[in-house]
C-alpha cells in the first residue's frame, strides 16, 4: 500500500496552486488587446483560436509538474509493517561437509556442487520453515543463523566455497554447532540434515556424543552419506599452475556411525550414490513433520518517487515544447 512519509507537504498544493491560477486568470484579462468599434457583429462567427486553448493546456501542464514535485517532497513509499500469520513449519539446520574430499568427481561436476544444488532446491520449496546453515570440515561454524528468508539462505548456499575451514572431517563438531543453532527454536519438529562423504577424523566432540545431546533436545538427525560405490576420482594435490590433480581411490564412508547417529535421534540414514538419488533423498526429507506456529513477517519501506519524477519531467518537457513551437511568438 502506498503511503506518504511527509504528508504535511501537501499543504503546498492549495498554498501555491490557488495564487498561481488567480495570477494566470488576472494576467490573461490584463493582456487582452482592446479596440473600440461601433459593432462586433462581424466577429461573432470567428470563435476562440486553438492557440488560446493550447496556451491554457501549457499552463495546466506546468501546474501538473509542480504538483508532481510536491508529491515527491512528500516521499511516496511502501511502509514497513509487521504481520502475524499461522503457518505450518519446522526448524531445520543443514550441516554441509566442506572438506576437500567433497570435490570428488563421482557426482557431476563433483559432490560439493551437487550437494549445494540439492540443498538450494530443498530450501526454495520450504516457504514457512525456519532454516539455518552450518559448514564443517576440520572445524565448524554457522554460515547462516535460523531464518525464514529463503532468498538469503539460497544465496549463502550458492556462494559457499571450499577452503574457508581447516581441512578434515569433524562430524561431531558439525552436529554440535547445528544443535546450538536449533535447540531454542519454537517449532515442535526440529531436524538436522547432515551431508558428509567421509569418516570423523578430527574435532572436539565425538559424533555419538553429539547425537546423544541432540536426542535430549528432541532433535532428529537425518544423515546422508555422499559418495558412489566402488572408486572415485579424489583431489590429491595442486600443480604449479593451480590446477587440482585427481587420483582414483576407493570410496570410504563411515556408514555405521552415520546410521547410529540417525537411529539414536529418531532420524534416518540415506546413502546418496548419485545426483538423482540425492534428489530423491531430499524429496523424502521434505515430508518432515510440521507444526503450527505464529510467524511474524517484516515488510520494509521502499521509496517510490521515480514514477512521479518521470511524470514531472514529461509534463515539463511537453509544456516547453508547446511554448517554443506552436505557441512561440515574435515580440
Amino acid at each position: 500500500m502506498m503511503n506518504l512519509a511527509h504528508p504535511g507537504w501537501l499543504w503546498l498544493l492549495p498554498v501555491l496552486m490557488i495564487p498561481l491560477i488567480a495570477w494566470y486568470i488576472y494576467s490573461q484579462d490584463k493582456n487582452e488587446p482592446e479596440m473600440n468599434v461601433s459593432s462586433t457583429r462581424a466577429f461573432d462567427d470567428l470563435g476562440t483560436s486553438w492557440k488560446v486553448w493550447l496556451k491554457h493546456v501549457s499552463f495546466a501542464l506546468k501546474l501538473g509538474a509542480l504538483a508532481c514535485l510536491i508529491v515527491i517532497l512528500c516521499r511516496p513509499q511502501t511502509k514497513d509493517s509487521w504481520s502475524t500469520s499461522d503457518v505450518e513449519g519446522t526448524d531445520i539446520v543443514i550441516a554441509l561437509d566442506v572438506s576437500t574430499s567433497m570435490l570428488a568427481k563421482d557426482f557431476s561436476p563433483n559432490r560439493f556442487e551437487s550437494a549445494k544444488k540439492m540443498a538450494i532446491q530443498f530450501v526454495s520449496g520450504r516457504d514457512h520453515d525456519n532454516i539455518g546453515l552450518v559448514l564443517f570440515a576440520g572445524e565448524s561454524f554457522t554460515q547462516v543463523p535460523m531464518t525464514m528468508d529463503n532468498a538469503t539462505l539460497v544465496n549463502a548456499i550458492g556462494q559457499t566455497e571450499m577452503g574457508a575451514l581447516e581441512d578434515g572431517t569433524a562430524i561431531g563438531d558439525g552436529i554440535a554447532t547445528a544443535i546450538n543453532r536449533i535447540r531454542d527454536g519454537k517449532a515442535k519438529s526440529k531436524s538436522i540434515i547432515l551431508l558428509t562423504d567421509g569418516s570423523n577424523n578430527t574435532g572436539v566432540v565425538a559424533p555419538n556424543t553429539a547425537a546423544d545431546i541432540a536426542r535430549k533436545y528432541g532433535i532428529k538427525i537425518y544423515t546422508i552419506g555422499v559418495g558412489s560405490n566402488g572408486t572415485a576420482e579424489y583431489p590429491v594435490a595442486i600443480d604449479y599452475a593451480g590446477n587440482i590433480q585427481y587420483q582414483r581411490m576407493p570410496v570410504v564412508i563411515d556408514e555405521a556411525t552415520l546410521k547410529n547417529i540417525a537411529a539414536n535421534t529418531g532420524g534416518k540414514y540415506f546413502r546418496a550414490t548419485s545426483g538423482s538419488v540425492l534428489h530423491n533423498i531430499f524429496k523424502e526429507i521434505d515430508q518432515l513433520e510440521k507444526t503450527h506456529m505464529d510467524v511474524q513477517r517484516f515488510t520494509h519501506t521502499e521509496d517510490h518517487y521515480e514514477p512521479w519524477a518521470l511524470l514531472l519531467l514529461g509534463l515539463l518537457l511537453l509544456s516547453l515544447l508547446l511554448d517554443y513551437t506552436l505557441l512561440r511568438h515574435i515580440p
Side-chain angles (χ1 to χ4, degrees), residues 31-250:
N31 294 329
E32 193 73 26
E34 296 181 359
M35 182 177 65
N36 293 323
V37 294
S38 59
S39 174
T40 60
R41 187 177 301 173
F43 305 101
D44 288 345
D45 297 330
L46 290 180
T48 304
S49 172
W50 58 271
K51 285 191 175 184
V52 174
W53 295 110
L54 276 185
K55 190 175 182 181
H56 298 332
V57 170
S58 177
F59 177 70
L61 292 173
K62 292 183 176 70
L63 288 180
L66 179 60
C68 290
L69 179 60
I70 293 172
V71 172
I72 292 172
L73 290 175
C74 294
R75 286 188 62 193
Q77 57 186 207
T78 52
K79 192 175 182 180
D80 292 353
S81 62
W82 286 95
S83 61
T84 303
S85 57
D86 177 63
V87 299
E88 279 192 332
T90 185
D91 290 342
I92 303 172
V93 172
I94 298 174
L96 178 61
D97 188 345
V98 294
S99 59
T100 305
S101 60
M102 286 289 285
L103 293 175
K105 291 186 174 181
D106 49 350
F107 286 63
S108 178
N110 55 52
R111 296 172 181 174
F112 181 59
E113 292 299 330
S114 184
K116 283 169 56 177
K117 179 181 177 182
M118 292 302 107
I120 287 173
Q121 290 182 5
F122 175 79
V123 169
S124 299
R126 303 187 72 88
D127 294 332
H128 303 305
D129 293 329
N130 210 15
I131 306 177
L133 176 65
V134 167
L135 305 180
F136 70 94
E139 52 189 341
S140 66
F141 82 105
T142 302
Q143 179 78 343
V144 181
M146 305 296 290
T147 179
M148 296 187 70
D149 187 346
N150 284 9
T152 297
L153 194 58
V154 165
N155 288 337
I157 296 173
Q159 294 172 7
T160 299
E161 302 271 338
M162 288 283 187
L165 299 175
E166 179 184 344
D167 203 17
T169 307
I171 295 175
D173 287 8
I175 295 174
T177 302
I179 292 171
N180 285 333
R181 292 294 99 196
I182 199 174
R183 64 182 181 180
D184 295 325
K186 296 181 180 180
K188 178 181 178 182
S189 175
K190 299 180 178 67
S191 307
I192 296 172
I193 302 174
L194 177 80
L195 294 98
T196 183
D197 69 341
S199 305
N200 189 79
N201 54 28
T202 187
V204 177
V205 183
N208 289 328
T209 301
D212 290 337
I213 297 171
R215 186 184 71 252
K216 291 178 181 178
Y217 282 106
I219 302 169
K220 296 180 181 179
I221 302 179
Y222 294 84
T223 55
I224 303 175
V226 183
S228 62
N229 294 313
T231 61
E233 291 186 358
Y234 280 89
V236 293
I238 298 178
D239 62 19
Y240 65 91
N243 298 315
I244 300 176
Q245 300 297 304
Y246 290 84
Q247 180 178 332
R248 185 163 290 278
M249 300 169 62

Side-chain angles (χ1 to χ4, degrees), residues 253-303:
I253 300 176
D254 188 358
E255 291 191 283
T257 297
L258 296 179
K259 288 178 180 178
N260 185 60
I261 291 170
N264 193 18
T265 60
K268 188 174 181 180
Y269 169 72
F270 302 90
R271 177 65 185 270
T273 55
S274 66
S276 59
V277 174
L278 184 59
H279 174 72
N280 292 332
I281 290 171
F282 269 105
K283 285 182 65 176
E284 183 172 343
I285 296 176
D286 192 46
Q287 306 304 314
L288 292 172
E289 176 187 358
K290 298 182 179 182
T291 184
H292 285 274
M293 53 185 176
D294 289 332
V295 175
Q296 283 192 320
R297 293 187 179 276
F298 178 71
T299 304
H300 83 207
T301 299
E302 186 173 351
D303 287 333

